[in-house]
Amino acid sequence: MKRFLATAIVAIGLSATATAAEPVSVTVHTKQGVQTIHKEIYGQFAEHLGTCIYGGLWVGPDSPIPNIDGYRKDVFEALKALQIPVLRWPGGCFADEYHWRDGIGPRSKRPSMKNNNWGGTIEDNSFGTHEFLNLCEMLGCEPYISGNVGSGTVEELAKWVEYMTSEEGTPMANLRKQNGREKPWHVKFLGVGNESWGCGGSMRPEYYSDLYRRYSTYCRNYDGNHLYKIASGASDYDYDWTRVLMDRVGNRMQGLSLHYYTVSGWNGSKGSATQFDDQQYYWTLGKCLEIEGVIKKHKAIMDEKDPQRRIGLLVDEWGTWWDEEPGTVRGHLYQQNALRDAFVAALSLNVFHRHTDRVRMANIAQIVNVLQSMILTDQKDGGHMVLTPTYHVFQMYTPFQEATFLPLDIDSPQMRVRHEMNRDMSDDSFRTLPLVSASAAKTKEGALVLSLTNVSLDQPQELSITLEDFTAKEVAGRMLTAKNVADYNDFEHPDRVAPIDFKDAKLSKKGLLTVKLPAKSLVVLTLK
């Protein structure tokens, strides 16, 4: 990696109140926890895009790749271990061209379709409603159905809800039973359209608001199944969209979505997932943390109309977006996943923790083989699978699910990072990037879980942590790091970036916790 910029930025950017050589002071307020970190913040997203579904989640029961009734066995077991709370499907942009009736009944009789959004791939609809909802049951997670508003009809979406959730006596319940499913599924989350301002119909917020009111009216609760209806919300900085929906839809929605990608721009090259310099690395982390300001602004708009915060803000698409890997299919969005991406995941999750009063769900894009995925697969020689650095972050963070968020104070050293990746250093627009980040929570069992991240490429950090009103007797931890921040896992080197035991956390007799964080490292501690 090139080191031409880091020295210059650190020299002008470190905070006057803390330097890399001084201990970083952290105080965790263990008695001030109020909000629960909703497990749905650790949600996943599976779209019919590239090989996310076909070759990722699903290979079919007749595949030579080991499978469980058609689901890839290695992928299923890895996802089961991840304790996924919720899975969004079938899109994404694909959702507003998906017609659910094409994906039910005998697979041999299902019509094929062209995926117009993602590479023009021809799909055979062998993975449909039954396959998705059965997978969610097997994984023990809530399904999140994204409904077709862009090219569908009110009747189509209403009947899909009936098909999935009605008990008996209705035409759609009878059709479901004919297709082999006697009992309805439990379906809680229903998205009424996706990116309706763009690929979901290029609508104005006023027009979409009226459509939402109409569609949501006919998506009914059947036989004890209660839908949590989610309106198609804004893309990152479009605060007007949120304002209009809060004015015109209001409490008719239970949730409002928000999409935010860590991406350098939508025109031209987005950069490589594995070939980047120090400037691009630090820019990426500054960009990912900008989501906090975006969330705050959307929250403020929502608070005007909903001060009780009954309507959830759902960041149901987020993550890094890089150029597709060389030699892969254009439009399939297959990208590698380096330690840099793991830091984006950790820092973003820490932001979501701080805003659980409004942020009720987040769904990283995507679960397998697409964008910032958990898992990468191929179908050669019986199939190979590799877990990405981002997978390891999610697994290390599982103790935070349904734990009580604990506020903390931290005096992290800071760095000034350019706001625009492609401008020269003469530009005076900068972001402030903390080099050390932390998040804390108390589990239902009474343990304290603490995540600590040092994103500096070359400076280790010593932390002095005060745990107010909490006496810890033991501490254990895991660390994710690598030789280089651009390191990644592939089929030949599946464990190049993998968690290891962490031994540099020490408890003193006075209850002070001292932690030595290596450069470019992420640590999760459990204290009892």
Side-chain angles (χ1 to χ4, degrees):
M1 292 179 61
K2 298 178 181 177
R3 305 307 299 273
F4 68 90
L5 189 63
T7 301
I9 285 187
V10 171
I12 66 172
L14 281 175
S15 166
T17 60
T19 69
E22 296 175 350
V24 175
S25 176
V26 181
T27 301
V28 181
H29 305 291
T30 66
K31 293 294 186 181
Q32 295 182 22
V34 176
Q35 299 292 333
T36 297
I37 298 173
H38 310 289
K39 62 182 179 180
E40 290 82 9
I41 283 173
Y42 290 83
Q44 299 289 333
F45 174 29
E47 183 170 6
H48 287 248
L49 198 174
T51 55
C52 181
I53 302 295
Y54 300 108
L57 294 175
W58 178 260
V59 292
D62 299 325
S63 172
I65 296 175
N67 65 87
I68 305 169
D69 296 328
Y71 307 105
R72 276 192 69 140
K73 186 174 185 294
D74 51 2
V75 172
F76 174 81
E77 291 174 347
L79 295 179
K80 187 75 172 176
L82 205 55
Q83 301 177 36
I84 293 170
V86 60
L87 180 59
R88 182 173 180 243
W89 173 86
C93 293
F94 181 84
D96 282 290
E97 290 197 51
Y98 180 67
H99 300 283
W100 68 271
R101 285 178 180 266
D102 293 341
I104 60 173
R107 295 190 189 105
S108 61
K109 296 182 179 180
R110 298 180 189 179
S112 295
M113 67 172 292
K114 185 175 184 179
N115 192 329
N116 294 306
N117 287 286
W118 306 117
T121 305
I122 303 298
E123 299 194 8
D124 64 4
N125 274 307
S126 59
F127 189 96
T129 300
H130 288 248
E131 289 75 22
F132 171 68
L133 294 177
N134 289 343
L135 174 61
C136 289
E137 282 190 339
M138 293 165 65
L139 290 173
C141 71
E142 295 275 7
Y144 174 0
I145 295 290
S146 211
N148 184 345
V149 171
S151 69
T153 66
V154 173
E155 180 183 21
E156 181 181 18
L157 186 53
K159 287 188 173 179
W160 196 10
V161 171
E162 179 186 329
Y163 182 90
M164 293 183 290
T165 63
S166 61
E167 180 75 29
E168 58 186 352
T170 69
M172 293 300 100
N174 292 335
L175 179 60
R176 182 192 69 242
K177 293 177 181 182
Q178 291 173 21
N179 289 328
R181 173 76 182 198
E182 182 67 24
K183 293 292 184 180
W185 294 277
H186 172 77
V187 177
K188 179 177 180 179
F189 299 107
L190 177 70
V192 182
N194 167 78
E195 293 190 356
S196 297
W197 39 264
C199 65
S202 301
M203 303 175 195
R204 295 175 297 111
E206 295 83 1
Y207 178 72
Y208 171 75
S209 295
D210 288 342
L211 276 186
Y212 174 89
R213 292 164 71 102
R214 183 180 176 213
Y215 272 71
S216 64
T217 297
Y218 291 97
C219 293
R220 306 186 187 279
N221 294 324
Y222 289 94
D223 301 306
N225 186 83
H226 294 280
L227 294 171
Y228 183 100
K229 299 173 187 177
I230 302 159
S232 174
S235 174
D236 43 45
Y237 313 101
D238 187 356
Y239 306 111
D240 181 62
W241 186 279
T242 296
R243 187 172 291 107
V244 171
L245 263 63
M246 291 302 296
D247 284 340
R248 299 196 175 209
V249 176
N251 287 326
R252 291 174 182 266
M253 58 185 170
Q254 284 75 56
L256 179 62
S257 71
L258 172 66
H259 292 179
Y260 184 94
Y261 284 98
T262 297
V263 61
S264 61
W266 298 108
N267 299 314
S269 174
K270 297 176 177 63
S272 168
T274 59
Q275 302 293 321
F276 52 87
D277 59 33
D278 293 359
Q279 169 192 339
Q280 292 165 327
Y281 165 73
Y282 285 119
W283 177 90
T284 298
L285 302 187
K287 171 66 174 177
C288 99
L289 284 175
E290 194 171 283
I291 194 175
E292 184 152 29
V294 171
I295 287 173
K296 287 179 178 179
K297 290 181 180 179
H298 286 288
K299 280 176 61 177
I301 294 167
M302 297 174 75
D303 285 349
E304 293 176 10
K305 293 291 183 179
D306 176 34
Q308 294 80 24
R309 296 180 177 172
R310 294 173 180 151
I311 302 169
L313 183 61
L314 284 69
V315 190
D316 61 14
E317 289 188 29
W318 67 276
T320 57
W321 194 318
W322 309 117
D323 290 338
E324 292 155 338
E325 290 298 308
T328 61
V329 178
R330 185 172 177 82
H332 281 193
L333 306 189
Y334 180 93
Q335 69 184 40
Q336 252 299 349
N337 194 304
L339 182 62
R340 174 178 64 166
D341 298 274
F343 286 135
V344 169
L347 296 179
S348 299
L349 290 168
N350 290 351
V351 170
F352 301 152
H353 291 176
R354 291 194 287 271
H355 296 280
T356 50
D357 56 340
R358 183 68 83 172
V359 177
R360 309 290 169 77
M361 183 192 296
N363 307 77
I364 191 169
Q366 293 183 9
I367 196 167
V368 188
N369 291 333
V370 174
L371 299 178
Q372 192 177 350
S373 59
M374 304 292 111
I375 294 169
L376 300 174
T377 68
D378 70 12
Q379 300 186 65
K380 301 175 183 177
D381 303 321
H384 303 92
M385 183 196 77
V386 65
L387 306 179
T388 68
T390 298
Y391 176 99
H392 294 309
V393 171
F394 270 69
Q395 190 170 54
M396 291 168 68
Y397 269 55
T398 52
F400 283 102
Q401 294 186 25
E402 296 299 310
T404 300
F405 172 74
L406 300 177
L408 57 80
D409 300 319
I410 183 170
D411 67 345
S412 170
Q414 297 183 348
M415 173 183 289
R416 296 176 70 210
V417 182
R418 291 185 318 183
H419 193 278
E420 297 292 338
M421 183 188 290
N422 299 317
R423 292 185 182 176
D424 62 33
M425 284 295 293
S426 63
D427 183 75
D428 60 357
S429 177
F430 290 89
R431 295 185 177 97
T432 299
L433 172 66
L435 295 179
V436 179
S437 298
S439 189
K442 183 175 286 187
T443 68
K444 293 179 180 178
E445 294 76 25
L448 192 149
V449 57
L450 184 63
S451 68
L452 303 167
T453 304
N454 177 18
V455 302
S456 172
L457 289 173
D458 49 21
Q459 291 287 343
Q461 304 285 350
E462 183 171 324
L463 279 61
S464 178
I465 303 172
T466 301
L467 309 174
E468 288 186 345
D469 303 307
F470 186 91
T471 302
K473 297 181 179 179
E474 59 182 85
V475 57
R478 301 277 282 168
M479 178 173 68
L480 190 69
T481 188
K483 183 177 180 181
N484 298 299
V485 77
D487 283 348
Y488 58 90
N489 298 330
D490 57 24
F491 302 124
E492 290 74 34
H493 310 92
D495 298 314
R496 184 185 281 128
V497 186
I500 59 175
D501 288 338
F502 181 71
K503 301 296 186 181
D504 282 331
K506 307 296 182 184
L507 287 164
S508 72
K509 293 180 180 179
K510 296 181 179 180
L512 196 69
L513 176 65
T514 301
V515 180
K516 294 181 179 180
L517 284 180
K520 56 184 182 304
S521 67
L522 185 159
V523 169
V524 175
L525 302 175
T526 301
L527 297 103
K528 299 179 181 179

